Amino acid sequence: MKTQRQAKIMEIISTQDIETQEQLLQTLQAEGFLCTQATVSRDIKELRIVKELTSFGTYRYTSAAKEGPSTFSTRLNTIFRECITSFDYAQNIIVIKTMPGLASAAASAVDAMAMSVVVGTLAGDDTVFIVMRDNNAAAAFCGEIRNLLS
């Protein structure tokens, strides 16, 4: 649901001039996404959405400029697809098993995402531990990894 909601947010801000979180929330709800302002606020932060000045002197939400090779879609896709052998979570801790020597690359890719729900990562030779803020965040991130690998 989170992935679908965030995709809809990106679609909305690319096709409409949205000035406030409240306006974005109302538009999402009109599209059938039942969420709160706090959820929208977290999505804005995770998606790195910023406000830009329009030619009319107003502000609108837009996606931030891509960071090149450190973006989620390029860096994590490559690293995760090539090196992850398995993953699972227990409560708020995710354990990712990689091919030997590649755990640091996987942990670095997660760190580069700068997600507020990630407390920290620890990498060994073939194992990465990721501490998440809560159990739901761990489950959601594992779901994203599963989608990425399939």
Side-chain angles (χ1 to χ4, degrees), residues 124-138:
D125 183 54
D126 65 354
T127 306
V128 178
F129 286 97
I130 305 171
V131 178
M132 306 296 280
R133 292 225 178 270
D134 57 44
N135 301 356
N136 293 336

Side-chain angles (χ1 to χ4, degrees), residues 72-107:
F72 179 78
S73 61
T74 56
R75 191 170 184 188
L76 277 184
N77 270 334
T78 302
I79 291 171
F80 279 24
R81 285 181 194 262
E82 298 297 323
C83 73
I84 289 181
T85 59
S86 67
F87 62 94
D88 204 352
Y89 72 99
Q91 296 191 13
N92 69 322
I93 298 174
I94 299 173
V95 177
I96 297 176
K97 299 295 274 179
T98 70
M99 295 174 62
L102 296 176
S104 291

Side-chain angles (χ1 to χ4, degrees), residues 29-98:
Q29 289 174 342
E31 294 282 339
F33 290 88
L34 301 178
C35 55
T36 64
Q37 185 275 330
T39 300
V40 171
S41 181
R42 281 190 297 273
D43 287 342
I44 287 171
K45 184 174 182 179
E46 287 179 21
L47 293 169
R48 294 186 175 96
I49 294 174
V50 296
K51 283 191 173 184
E52 71 176 358
L53 186 62
T54 68
S55 59
F56 302 110
T58 59
Y59 287 91
R60 67 180 290 266
Y61 283 116
T62 187
S63 58
K66 298 291 183 207
E67 298 176 5
S70 67
T71 62
F72 179 78
S73 61
T74 56
R75 191 170 184 188
L76 277 184
N77 270 334
T78 302
I79 291 171
F80 279 24
R81 285 181 194 262
E82 298 297 323
C83 73
I84 289 181
T85 59
S86 67
F87 62 94
D88 204 352
Y89 72 99
Q91 296 191 13
N92 69 322
I93 298 174
I94 299 173
V95 177
I96 297 176
K97 299 295 274 179
T98 70

